[in-house]
Amino acid sequence: MSATRQAAFDPQTRVQYLSGVGPARARLFEKLGLSTLEQLVRHYPRTYLDARTFVTVDALSPDRVLTVLGQVHSAAAHRTRRGRTDFTARVVDRTGAVTCHFFGQPWLARALVPGSRVVVSGTVDAAGRMLNPMFEVIESEVEELLHAGRLVPVHALTRGITGRGMRGAVRRALDLVADRVVDPLPPALAARLGPLSAALRQIHLPADERELAQARERLAFEELFLLQTVLEIRRRVLSEEGRGLVTAGPGSLAARARQALPFALTADQERALDEIVNDLRSPRPMHRLLVGDVGSGKTVVGLLAALHVIEAGHQVAFMAPTEILARQHVTTLTRFARSVETSVVGLTGASSAGERRAIQTRLEAGEPLLVVGTHALLEAKVAMPKLGLAIVDEQHRFGVRQRATLAQKGVIPDVLVLSATPIPRTLALALYGDLDLSPIRTKPAGRGRVVTRVAGEEKFPQVLEFMAQELVVGRQAFVVLPVIDEGGAVEARAAAAEHERLSQHPLLAGRVVGLLHGRLKTEQKQSTMDAFAAGRVQVLVTTTVIEVGVDVPNATLMVIENAERFGLAQLHQLRGRVGRGAERSVCVLVPGPSASAEALERLEILTHTEDGFALAEADLERRGPGELWGMRQSGLPRLKLADLRDDRLLERALEAAREIVSADPRLRLAEHRPLQEALLRDYREPLELALAG
Ligand code: ADP
Ligand code: MG
C-alpha cells in the first residue's frame, strides 16, 4: 500500500469514500450505525460459517457445508414461472459438474462468467444442486479468500447490503485503516496483549479457531476494560469528594421505632442497617444497593435508616415505582412510624393541589419529613432543600444521572436502592461497580412455604377447584396475565376477558373477582387494591402491575397464566406476592398451549427452588444479561463481544482498570489520552458526571 493512499484514509474517514460505496449506500451503512471506516472495522461478525473443507465435486453432500474449487462452465439467467429472474452457473472440476442456483440474482452473470475460476461453498439439495452457495471468483492466486472456502464471517446486515457487500467493504476498510485505529488501551497493557490491528483483522478474517479466539479475547477485554475504567473513576471520584452530608442522628428515634415493631429484625436486616447507618455517618455520599428477595423485609430497613436521617434534621424521599406501591408505602410507613411521632407524607396522584402546596411549603421551610411518592418525586418539581437520603424502591437501574438530579445545591444526598432482583455477583460487579451491596439472604422466620407447580391448561378446572377450596377457608388468590403489548391495550382486554370468565364461573359463585391492570385510572386501581387488601375482593385478576411490592399476607394462591412468557426472575418476583403469611402458599404456573418444551423445562426450575439468587444465575445462563436486566436501557453501550459471565476476564479488566486509575485518576497523562477519548465516546455521560466534581 502506498504512503499517499495511507495518508488519505484516516479511520474517521466516512464510509461513503470507500471504493464501491458512495453516498447512497453510505446511508444504508448509517442505518447500522456505521459512518466511519473505524466503525466499519469495529463491526464485528455475528458468527462464522465454516466452509474450509475442500472436496471434489463428486464428494459434495447435503449434510454439511463443503467447498469446491472449479471453473464456471456455463451460466445463464432465466425467468421463473413467478416472474423472478434467477441465475444458474455450472461449475466443473475433474470429477464432475454441479449446478449453482441463485434466486433472483441475475446480476451475478457479471461475476460468474464462463471460464472463470471459482471457489463455491455450500450444501447440495436432493437434486444435487447448490442453492445460493457462497462463492468467490479467483482473480489472483495471492488474494486471500473472503466469501467462500474459509471461516466466512457473517455480519449484521440491513436491507440493501448483502453479506458479500459487507465483507468486501469491511476488508477494504481493514486494508486502509486497521493499522491506524487508535488503541484505547494504555501502551503497557497493549504491549502485553498484542497489536490491535491484528485483532481487528483476525476477528473478521480468522485463519482458524485459535486466531479467532485470540482476537475475540483481545477485543472483549478492551470492552470490559473500558467499562471497568469508567466505573473505577466513578468510584474514586465519589469516594474522594466528600460532597455528601453527615446525616445520621444518634439513633434513639430508630431505636424507639424498633421497639414498637411486632417483630425482631433478622440478622441480615441488622447487618444491612449497620452498613447503611455507617454510610450515613460518613461524609462520603452513600450509594448502596439493598438486595433481598421479595418478602425479605427491605422496607423496614429503609424506614429505620430514614429515621436516623430525620433525627439529624434532614428530609427523606422514599420513592416507589408505581402509584399503588407508593400509597401502600405511605400506609405501612405511617404504621411503623406512628410510635415515634414522625410525619410520613404522601405525595402521590391522590394528593390534592392543596395538599401538595402544603407539603411543599413545609419542605421548603426545611421541616424534616419523610416524603413518599413515585419516582416522579425526582423530577425536581418538588424542592427538598434538606434532602439527606433518597430511598428508591425496586429501581435497580437507578444511576448516576438520577443521582445528579437529586443533588441540590451541590450536595449529593445519600442514595439507598432497594431491589428484589437478585443480581448475580458478577453482573452486580459489572453493572453497579460503584454501588455498595448489602444483601439480605434469609427471610424472616415463620413464613409459610410457597409450593410451585406447573399445570397445563387442561388442568385449569382442577386449579379452579383448588382455588375454590382456598377461598372457602378465607384465603385469597391472584390470577396473573402477562403483558402482551407495550401499550397495554391487548393486555387490558385479555385481563378483562379473564375477569369476566372467572366472575361467571360456577366454582367461584358468590365470590368477588376484582380486576386490576395498567389501563385503569389510578383511583380504580387503588380502590380495587384496597378492597383486595381488606378481603372484600377474594380473587384478583391482574397483570404485572402487581409484580413488585404488593403485600397482602392473606393471599395464598397465585395462578400465572401463559407463564412461559415471563422470565424466571420475574416469575419469582410474582410468586413472592404469596407466602407472606404463616400459611403454606401455592403458585401455579399455567403455560399457554404454544409453550415450547424448552420453556416448560425452564418453568420446572421454579418448582425446585425458592432461592432467588440461584434462579437469577439460572436465568442469566439461559437468556444472557441483556434481556434480563434491560442493560440496554441502563446507559451501558452494548458489549459486542464481552460476556459479563466471564468472571476471569472481568476480574482481569477490573485489575487493569484499578492500576490505571490509581496511577492517573483523571486520565490526564498523554498515554491515557486515547483511553479518555474512547470513554468519552462510549460512556460520555457517566464519565462527565463523574469528572465534573
Ligand atoms: P420486601 O423486601 O419484599 O420489600 P417487605 O419489606 O414488604 O419485603 O416485607 C415483607 C413483610 O415482612 C412485611 O409485612 C414486613 O412487615 C414483614 N417483615 C419485615 N421484617 C420482618 C422480620 N424481621 N420479621 C418478621 N416479619 C418481617
Ligand atoms: Mg418492597
Side-chain angles (χ1 to χ4, degrees):
M1 199 175 298
S2 76
T4 49
R5 202 168 148 208
Q6 284 240 349
F9 286 91
D10 184 76
Q12 301 316 316
T13 304
R14 304 197 68 75
V15 171
Q16 117 176 47
Y17 300 109
L18 203 57
S19 73
V21 178
R25 281 169 63 71
R27 277 193 291 280
L28 300 177
F29 280 95
E30 296 262 356
K31 279 196 192 160
L32 292 164
L34 308 174
S35 311
T36 67
L37 298 189
E38 173 162 358
Q39 285 164 346
L40 198 51
V41 301
R42 292 284 196 177
H43 183 55
Y44 309 139
R46 277 191 297 118
T47 180
Y48 304 81
L49 267 171
D50 187 352
R52 288 174 295 178
T53 310
F54 278 76
V55 295
T56 46
V57 166
D58 60 348
L60 283 171
S61 125
D63 309 322
R64 53 183 295 223
V65 174
L66 293 169
T67 299
V68 293
L69 169 63
Q71 195 162 34
V72 177
H73 176 261
S74 56
H78 42 87
R79 286 185 75 77
T80 66
R81 256 166 283 151
R82 297 209 173 141
R84 196 177 59 207
T85 307
D86 282 2
F87 176 76
T88 44
R90 294 228 353 125
V91 173
V92 298
D93 72 359
R94 60 187 167 74
T95 68
V98 60
T99 299
C100 300
H101 191 106
F102 299 89
F103 298 121
Q105 298 170 62
W107 57 85
L108 291 181
R110 268 174 283 159
L112 294 169
V113 291
S116 53
R117 295 224 302 144
V118 285
V119 171
V120 187
S121 300
T123 55
V124 287
D125 68 1
R129 297 178 309 168
M130 281 180 132
L131 301 180
N132 292 327
M134 303 180 286
F135 72 91
E136 184 142 5
V137 177
I138 313 260
E139 268 145 19
S140 88
E141 298 298 329
V142 292
E143 190 82 344
E144 179 191 25
L145 285 171
L146 178 60
H147 305 292
R150 57 166 303 134
L151 268 181
V152 182
V154 180
H155 298 89
L157 303 172
T158 187
R159 185 189 279 275
I161 300 181
T162 61
R164 297 177 71 81
M166 178 62 81
R167 277 192 292 273
V170 167
R171 179 158 72 181
R172 283 193 296 280
L174 281 169
D175 287 346
L176 294 172
V177 303
D179 294 326
R180 315 171 101 234
V181 171
V182 178
D183 190 346
L185 301 184
L189 199 51
R192 263 185 279 152
L193 295 168
L196 173 62
S197 55
L200 289 174
R201 275 203 192 88
Q202 291 165 359
I203 196 79
H204 292 286
L205 303 167
D208 52 33
E209 282 90 354
R210 199 184 51 87
E211 255 191 36
L212 176 56
Q214 272 176 6
R216 197 180 261 151
E217 170 148 328
R218 169 55 154 102
L219 298 169
F221 176 84
E222 179 191 298
E223 291 174 0
L224 294 177
F225 172 75
L226 293 183
L227 172 64
Q228 294 293 3
T229 302
V230 78
L231 292 173
E232 186 63 17
I233 291 172
R234 279 164 63 178
R235 272 191 288 267
R236 280 188 79 95
V237 170
L238 288 171
S239 71
E240 280 166 7
E241 66 187 351
R243 271 161 65 197
L245 299 161
V246 177
T247 48
S252 59
L253 197 59
R256 274 197 287 132
R258 278 183 66 161
Q259 261 153 25
L261 288 177
F263 48 75
L265 295 189
T266 63
D268 283 352
Q269 286 173 315
E270 291 278 10
R271 195 180 22 73
L273 184 60
D274 278 348
E275 287 168 353
I276 295 164
V277 172
N278 272 338
D279 283 353
L280 294 173
R281 295 213 162 108
S282 132
R284 179 176 89 96
M286 169 171 81
H287 197 191
R288 186 172 285 278
L289 189 63
L290 179 61
V291 227
D293 222 336
V294 279
S296 61
K298 296 180 294 291
T299 317
V300 71
V301 174
L303 172 82
L304 294 171
L307 292 178
H308 276 271
V309 175
I310 294 205
E311 185 180 34
H314 290 278
Q315 297 164 337
V316 179
F318 200 127
M319 289 165 281
T322 67
E323 211 28 59
I324 291 189
L325 287 173
R327 293 191 205 180
Q328 183 178 292
H329 276 323
V330 175
T331 315
T332 354
L333 295 176
T334 307
R335 183 154 41 82
F336 281 149
R338 192 169 293 139
S339 55
V340 289
E341 296 99 39
T342 295
S343 331
V344 177
V345 297
L347 258 185
T348 66
S351 321
S352 69
E355 280 171 313
R356 281 174 173 278
R357 262 196 310 279
I359 292 168
Q360 188 62 74
T361 311
R362 290 168 73 186
L363 286 170
E364 272 161 22
E367 194 178 330
L369 293 176
L370 173 51
V371 187
V372 185
T374 64
H375 294 142
L377 275 186
L378 274 185
E379 285 157 16
K381 283 184 201 129
V382 186
M384 301 187 70
K386 300 236 13 167
L387 183 63
L389 170 66
I391 301 175
V392 193
D393 196 14
E394 307 294 358
Q395 164 96 333
H396 43 90
R397 282 185 232 130
F398 193 84
V400 175
R401 189 198 320 206
Q402 286 93 332
R403 204 141 55 116
T405 316
L406 288 177
Q408 298 187 1
K409 295 179 186 153
V411 174
I412 301 175
D414 290 315
V415 173
L416 178 65
V417 180
L418 313 185
S419 174
T421 306
I423 301 157
R425 218 196 85 75
T426 13
L427 198 60
L429 184 76
L431 292 184
Y432 312 115
D434 63 332
L435 229 66
D436 294 310
L437 274 179
S438 291
I440 303 185
R441 288 188 165 267
T442 51
K443 285 191 197 180
R447 290 286 168 79
R449 280 202 58 209
V450 181
V451 178
T452 302
R453 291 282 173 266
V454 177
E457 248 177 320
E458 71 287 354
K459 299 234 182 75
F460 204 70
Q462 281 105 300
V463 174
L464 278 189
E465 255 167 59
F466 178 72
M467 183 183 293
Q469 286 165 21
E470 290 284 293
L471 301 184
V472 165
V473 295
R475 309 269 166 251
Q476 290 164 276
F478 291 104
V479 176
V480 184
L481 307 175
V483 174
I484 298 163
D485 64 325
E486 285 287 323
V490 179
E491 163 203 348
R493 268 202 303 282
E498 187 63 358
H499 173 250
E500 188 69 23
R501 178 168 83 114
L502 294 182
S503 301
Q504 287 166 10
H505 203 284
L507 279 170
L508 301 180
R511 302 295 175 197
V512 184
V513 182
L515 173 64
L516 189 68
H517 60 70
R519 284 269 169 128
L520 297 175
K521 292 217 172 62
T522 309
E523 297 76 59
Q524 280 172 296
K525 285 190 215 161
Q526 188 59 40
S527 67
T528 305
M529 229 19 253
D530 289 346
F532 188 64
R536 292 193 305 277
V537 163
Q538 289 95 48
V539 180
L540 189 63
V541 175
T542 179
T543 63
T544 34
V545 175
I546 59 143
E547 185 183 336
V548 283
V550 168
D551 191 20
V552 179
N554 194 46
T556 53
L557 173 62
M558 163 149 305
V559 179
I560 305 177
E561 300 192 23
N562 288 313
E564 78 283 1
R565 291 175 184 248
F566 296 94
L568 285 181
Q570 207 183 4
L571 287 169
H572 178 64
Q573 292 228 2
L574 281 169
R575 87 174 155 182
R577 300 303 116 219
V578 294
R580 307 202 131 215
E583 284 74 26
R584 183 190 82 140
S585 291
V586 177
C587 174
V588 186
L589 307 174
V590 186
S594 55
S596 66
E598 202 233 325
L600 295 179
E601 201 183 293
R602 196 163 58 87
L603 295 181
E604 284 295 329
I605 298 177
L606 283 158
T607 64
H608 306 314
T609 179
E610 285 189 56
D611 179 347
F613 284 88
L615 280 169
E617 296 279 1
D619 222 1
L620 184 65
E621 221 136 85
R622 281 166 174 264
R623 310 208 304 169
E627 264 183 84
L628 254 190
W629 284 288
M631 274 190 31
R632 239 156 278 173
Q633 293 103 282
S634 72
L636 294 181
R638 242 173 85 196
L639 300 175
K640 290 189 274 190
L641 292 171
D643 183 345
L644 288 174
R645 288 165 285 182
D646 188 344
D647 288 349
R648 190 187 53 88
L649 205 58
L650 257 174
E651 291 286 347
R652 264 179 55 201
L654 176 61
E655 227 168 84
R658 287 223 168 106
E659 205 175 297
I660 302 298
V661 177
S662 72
D664 181 15
R666 278 161 200 268
L667 306 180
R668 292 202 167 118
L669 295 177
E671 64 177 55
H672 295 151
R673 196 54 180 281
L675 173 58
Q676 195 185 53
E677 272 162 20
L679 292 178
L680 281 170
R681 181 190 65 214
D682 291 352
Y683 298 95
R684 177 174 288 276
E685 191 182 295
L687 190 71
E688 281 179 346
L689 280 167
L691 292 177

